[in-house]
Amino acid sequence: EAGVVQSPRYKIIEKKQPVAFWCNPISGHNTLYWYRQNLGQGPELLIRYENEEAVDDSQLPKDRFSAERLKGVDSTLKIQPAELGDSAVYLCASSPTGTGDSYGYTFGSGTRLTVV
Amino acid sequence: GQSLEQPSEVTAVEGAIVQINCTYQTSGFYGLSWYQQHDGGAPTFLSYNALDGLEETGRFSSFLSRSDSYGYLLLQELQMKDSASYFCAVRDGRSNYQLIWGAGTKLIIKP
């Protein structure tokens, strides 16, 4: 079974430029998460999807961040315009709906964003 | 509010046993999870404790005491490949049931 696939693996952009990250979750996993992880810290949730519906986007900076999950499968996270403070690793994770935390989340390898 | 505390770094010797502690403060409690993350890698789920006691999975065990708001991850027969960061995480009912993560404990293993 393929894991959670993210691309690109690395991205370097100048501030004020747009950037987009793509995620393909594990087949059959209805719940999809986007996290941001700063160096030396734990992941912080940006948005959670149940199928195509964003059910928790309370920590998504909506002035510059947007996300979509068309057809309830792949998802894209966009930043426009990027700021220096957006430099971080952006992680996508998925889990089956209704399993709680017993089986945990499956994470992708992340996209390391550097804004210069 | 919510917070998790875990040591920032722990050092141990190959073949030894190490314990990584985690204390938490949450509004409501829905279980304690542990994840492993190698440098540059993805977090990987290790264990989940919803009830008090010890859960064993191979060389790794996880313990929970809900009355003390405390848990730990126990790693036995340490191997060099266990060098990684270990995160505890709890689900907080007051934060829309989000999984809140600690800052992580970097485990350094010496030969």
Side-chain angles (χ1 to χ4, degrees), chain A residues 4-6 22-25 32-35 75 90-94 106-111:
Chain A
V4 176
V5 179
Q6 290 188 248
W22 176 80
C23 173
N24 180 241
L32 183 146
Y33 314 81
W34 281 104
Y35 279 87
S75 178
Y90 290 83
L91 294 163
C92 178
S94 68
T106 302
F107 282 83
S109 296
T111 297

Side-chain angles (χ1 to χ4, degrees), chain A residues 89-102:
Chain A
V89 176
Y90 290 83
L91 294 163
C92 178
S94 68
S95 67
T97 301
T99 58
D101 292 328
S102 300

Side-chain angles (χ1 to χ4, degrees), chain B residues 45-85:
Chain B
F45 174 71
L46 291 177
S47 67
Y48 170 72
N49 295 67
L51 302 176
D52 290 350
L54 189 69
E55 296 277 346
E56 299 183 52
T57 307
R59 295 188 296 114
F60 293 6
S61 303
S62 56
F63 172 82
L64 174 66
S65 170
R66 288 175 297 171
S67 61
D68 295 324
S69 298
Y70 163 76
Y72 65 72
L73 182 68
L74 189 73
L75 295 80
Q76 303 182 70
E77 301 174 15
L78 285 172
Q79 302 175 10
M80 297 304 292
K81 67 178 182 180
D82 298 329
S83 295
S85 291

Side-chain angles (χ1 to χ4, degrees), chain B residues 76-97:
Chain B
Q76 303 182 70
E77 301 174 15
L78 285 172
Q79 302 175 10
M80 297 304 292
K81 67 178 182 180
D82 298 329
S83 295
S85 291
Y86 293 84
F87 295 88
C88 58
V90 293
R91 192 168 297 282
D92 191 330
R94 211 157 68 167
S95 297
N96 207 15
Y97 302 98

Side-chain angles (χ1 to χ4, degrees), chain A residues 9 33 35 37 40-45 48 55-56 58-59 91 100-109 112, chain B residues 30-31 33 35 37 39-45 47-48 87 90-91 95-104:
Chain A
R9 188 76 173 89
Y33 314 81
Y35 279 87
Q37 186 175 26
Q41 298 182 22
E44 296 177 321
L45 182 69
R48 173 169 67 97
V55 296
D56 186 354
S58 58
Q59 298 192 109
L91 294 163
D101 292 328
S102 300
Y103 298 99
Y105 300 171
T106 302
F107 282 83
S109 296
R112 183 177 296 275
Chain B
Y30 302 89
S33 300
Y35 284 78
Q37 186 178 32
D39 283 347
T44 303
F45 174 71
S47 67
Y48 170 72
F87 295 88
V90 293
R91 192 168 297 282
S95 297
N96 207 15
Y97 302 98
Q98 291 179 13
L99 197 64
I100 308 298
W101 296 64

